[in-house]
């Protein structure tokens, strides 16, 4: 038998980053959101494809540079790349967004180029004096760069490869851009092992076409003439994995690859039964969250949200959480403020509004930034305000 094994159906979902004006509600569209395990490659991926033009465009709402911690993380990522390639090396970043990582390559004196299809974020990066090409990364783009700028010593991507509908095509486009014998492709993405371990099913939304593991990355790499030579686990985005690929045979795979492979086998990351269990846990977790919020409403408590994340679109729509349960969500992104959350239509407000009208409970939709946000909002907690988290379990903190 071929084809993917479907294991989770999250129902009809609006575009996760499709924050909208009240006047746009009538024309809001929904698309199926189902996930499956590919038998041949062990890749976990979305089964329903949404045209990328609907997701990444000039009104793309997601600006990477919203978190201080992420900024520090990308500085360390850039330093690692610098230490891994020759001194005058050339770096190409796929999906450079507003320049959060690209700026560090520039500051470290490295020759660099960003490739970014969403014009508004690309413009923000150019405003920082960075070189950015407006394009989806493809074989054609890669050839153009190689002809004009020469081979890349490193091609890098962060939270981008999971957005691509055909990761094998992307690997195959990267391979000829890498300097023969020494070029590396380093990318990091939310890690399937963490999604299963934490039951962080809100990582599943239209922009995340793939949920990678070492198993799937190794198979796809092999098919593109590449090889997985190093992995490093990261705490970002609720648990990510950083993969380093090189041309097959050019670098010996490190110990990290063997030991993480063993961990994955023990956890059954390519076993269909693991995913059946996960689907049951997802249903349970979302019912639990809905029950907590309805209980609080019954008690007359005021509940707001913190962080109008793309992830929150999955949770609010799957669990049935609307403005009657969560009256508003605060967020620092100017483009989201004044709009409604996709599907659930919860108003997005500035942080100041949340602070001024402190709710009894605040559901932390940006749970992946919990440390940073809980530290920053200590005054709210000192005054008796409570946060609700739902990863790794539904809990009031
Ligand atoms: P992310 O989880 O995909 O990084 O998205 C984070 C969202 O949360 C983004 O819309 C910005 C928002 N946010 C805040 O509003 N305040 C904060 O302190 C942080 C860290 C994020």
């Amino acid at each position: 038998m071929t084809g993917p094994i479907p294991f989770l159906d999250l129902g009809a979902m609006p575009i996760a980053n499709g924050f909208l004006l009240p006047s746009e509600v009538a024309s809001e569209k929904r698309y199926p959101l189902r996930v499956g395990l590919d038998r041949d490659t062990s890749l976990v991926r979305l089964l329903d494809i949404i045209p990328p033009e609907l997701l990444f465009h000039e009104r793309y709402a997601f600006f990477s540079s919203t978190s201080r911690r992420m900024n520090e993380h990308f500085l360390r990522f850039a330093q690692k790349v610098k230490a891994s390639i020759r001194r005058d090396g050339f770096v190409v970043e796929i999906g450079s967004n507003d320049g959060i990582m690209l700026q560090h390559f520039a500051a470290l004196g490295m020759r660099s180029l960003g490739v970014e299809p969403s014009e508004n974020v690309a413009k923000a990066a150019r405003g920082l004096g960075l070189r950015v090409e407006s394009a989806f990364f493809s074989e054609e783009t890669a050839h153009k760069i190689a002809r004009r700028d020469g081979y890349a010593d490193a091609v890098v991507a962060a939270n981008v490869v999971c957005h691509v509908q055909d990761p094998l095509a992307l690997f195959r486009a990267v391979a000829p851009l890498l300097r023969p014998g020494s070029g590396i492709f380093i990318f990091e993405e939310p890690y399937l092992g963490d999604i299963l371990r934490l039951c962080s099913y809100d990582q599943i939304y239209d922009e995340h076409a793939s949920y990678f593991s070492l198993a799937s990355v190794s198979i796809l790499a092999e098919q593109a003439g590449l090889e997985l030579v190093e992995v490093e686990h990261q705490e970002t985005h609720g648990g990510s994995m950083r993969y380093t690929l090189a041309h097959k045979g050019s670098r010996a795979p490190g110990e990290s690859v063997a030991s993480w492979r063993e961990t994955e086998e023990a956890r059954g990351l390519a076993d269909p039964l693991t995913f059946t269990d996960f689907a049951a846990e997802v249903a349970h977790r979302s019912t639990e969250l809905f029950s907590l919020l309805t209980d609080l409403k019954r008690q007359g408590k005021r509940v707001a949200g913190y962080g109008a994340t793309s992830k929150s679109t999955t949770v609010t729509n799957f669990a049935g959480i609307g403005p009657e349960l969560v009256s508003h969500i605060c967020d620092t992104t100017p483009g989201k403020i004044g709009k409604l959350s996709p599907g659930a239509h919860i108003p997005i407000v500035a942080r100041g509004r949340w602070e001024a009208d402190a709710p009894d409970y605040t559901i932390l939709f940006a749970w992946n930034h919990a440390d940073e946000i809980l530290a920053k909002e200590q005054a709210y907690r000192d005054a008796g305000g409570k946060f609700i988290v739902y990863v790794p379990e539904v809990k009031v903190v």
Side-chain angles (χ1 to χ4, degrees):
M1 242 204 293
T2 55
I5 306 169
F7 61 83
L8 179 64
D9 185 347
L10 291 165
M13 287 278 167
I15 300 281
N17 237 320
F19 294 88
L20 69 175
L21 295 167
S23 60
E24 294 168 321
V25 166
S27 56
E28 188 179 36
K29 292 199 172 54
R30 286 181 178 263
Y31 303 86
L33 187 64
R34 296 175 305 143
V35 201
L37 169 70
D38 193 86
R39 283 172 235 252
D40 301 326
T41 59
S42 297
L43 181 66
V44 168
R45 61 177 178 85
L46 294 189
L47 301 178
D48 308 286
I49 299 303
I50 296 184
E53 305 77 51
L54 291 179
L55 306 178
F56 311 108
H57 43 63
E58 72 292 345
R59 287 175 58 210
Y60 187 50
F62 185 77
F63 279 65
S64 291
S65 299
T66 50
S67 157
R68 190 175 53 76
R69 290 263 175 92
M70 288 307 289
N71 194 29
E72 290 162 6
H73 171 79
F74 287 124
L75 168 62
R76 287 193 299 275
F77 191 151
Q79 286 165 333
K80 181 208 157 77
V81 174
K82 184 169 181 167
S84 309
I85 62 174
R86 59 193 219 170
R87 193 130 50 94
D88 57 348
F90 172 48
V91 183
V92 174
E93 183 182 355
I94 304 175
S96 49
N97 198 275
D98 57 11
I100 187 168
M101 177 147 66
L102 207 55
Q103 64 181 344
H104 295 303
F105 292 124
L108 292 168
M110 300 166 77
R111 196 158 64 91
S112 57
L113 173 72
V115 181
E116 172 55 56
S118 295
E119 193 50 45
N120 57 340
V121 286
K123 215 191 264 168
R126 283 193 204 101
L128 300 172
L130 304 169
R131 226 182 122 213
V132 181
E133 181 134 348
S134 296
F136 278 102
F137 187 85
S138 64
E139 219 170 306
E140 198 187 331
T141 323
H143 282 302
K144 184 173 149 196
I145 296 170
R147 267 198 313 273
R148 190 188 54 206
D149 299 281
Y151 286 121
D153 297 281
V155 172
V156 303
N159 309 307
V160 167
V161 185
C162 68
H163 289 72
V164 173
Q165 270 156 21
D166 186 350
L168 177 58
L170 181 112
F171 286 14
R172 285 183 168 151
V174 168
L177 178 57
L178 295 178
R179 186 177 300 287
S182 64
I184 48 176
F185 175 29
I186 312 188
F187 65 97
E188 64 181 33
E189 310 295 324
Y191 178 49
L192 178 66
D194 291 308
I195 296 173
L196 296 179
R197 186 173 57 84
L198 304 171
C199 190
S200 48
Y201 71 94
D202 55 349
Q203 299 278 14
I204 300 168
Y205 58 89
D206 48 25
E207 289 180 23
H208 288 172
S210 304
Y211 305 84
F212 292 109
S213 59
L214 272 72
S216 55
V217 168
S218 305
I219 293 172
L220 295 172
E222 171 109 28
Q223 292 177 4
L226 299 168
E227 189 174 12
L228 181 63
V229 295
E230 190 189 329
V231 286
E232 277 176 286
H233 189 258
Q234 309 290 323
E235 293 307 318
T236 47
H237 286 295
S240 299
M241 193 63 87
R242 183 180 292 164
Y243 306 91
T244 302
L245 310 186
H247 285 138
K248 198 163 172 50
S250 68
R251 291 191 185 207
E255 177 47 36
S256 58
V257 175
S259 83
W260 272 97
R261 265 207 190 110
E262 241 173 67
T263 307
E264 281 198 356
E265 271 163 32
R267 288 198 199 153
L269 252 56
D271 179 352
L273 283 180
T274 308
F275 297 96
T276 313
D277 291 348
F278 171 68
E281 177 67 18
V282 169
H284 174 72
R285 178 77 60 83
S286 86
T287 307
E288 218 183 334
L289 181 61
F290 181 79
S291 304
L292 171 64
L293 294 173
T294 44
D295 277 353
L296 292 174
K297 186 182 165 71
R298 227 172 278 129
Q299 295 165 32
K301 303 291 186 197
R302 289 175 315 125
V303 182
Y306 199 114
T309 55
S310 324
K311 292 188 287 294
S312 69
T313 298
T314 297
V315 172
T316 52
N317 286 280
F318 186 65
I321 300 166
E324 67 292 347
L325 294 179
V326 174
S327 58
H328 52 274
I329 304 173
C330 74
D331 196 282
T332 50
T333 314
K336 294 182 185 177
I337 297 165
K339 294 199 173 155
L340 301 173
S341 73
H345 305 150
I346 303 173
I348 314 302
V349 302
R351 185 193 156 281
R353 157 86 196 282
W354 167 83
E355 189 178 33
D357 181 24
D360 303 305
Y361 289 81
T362 299
I363 177 165
L364 190 52
F365 289 122
W367 58 265
N368 49 314
H369 300 290
D371 291 353
E372 180 173 351
I373 293 170
L374 293 188
K376 194 163 72 177
E377 306 298 0
Q378 189 56 44
Y380 166 70
R381 298 171 81 197
D382 290 343
K386 293 190 171 60
F387 277 102
I388 298 168
V389 294
Y390 48 88
V391 176
E393 56 183 329
V394 176
K395 203 163 73 172
V396 174
V397 294

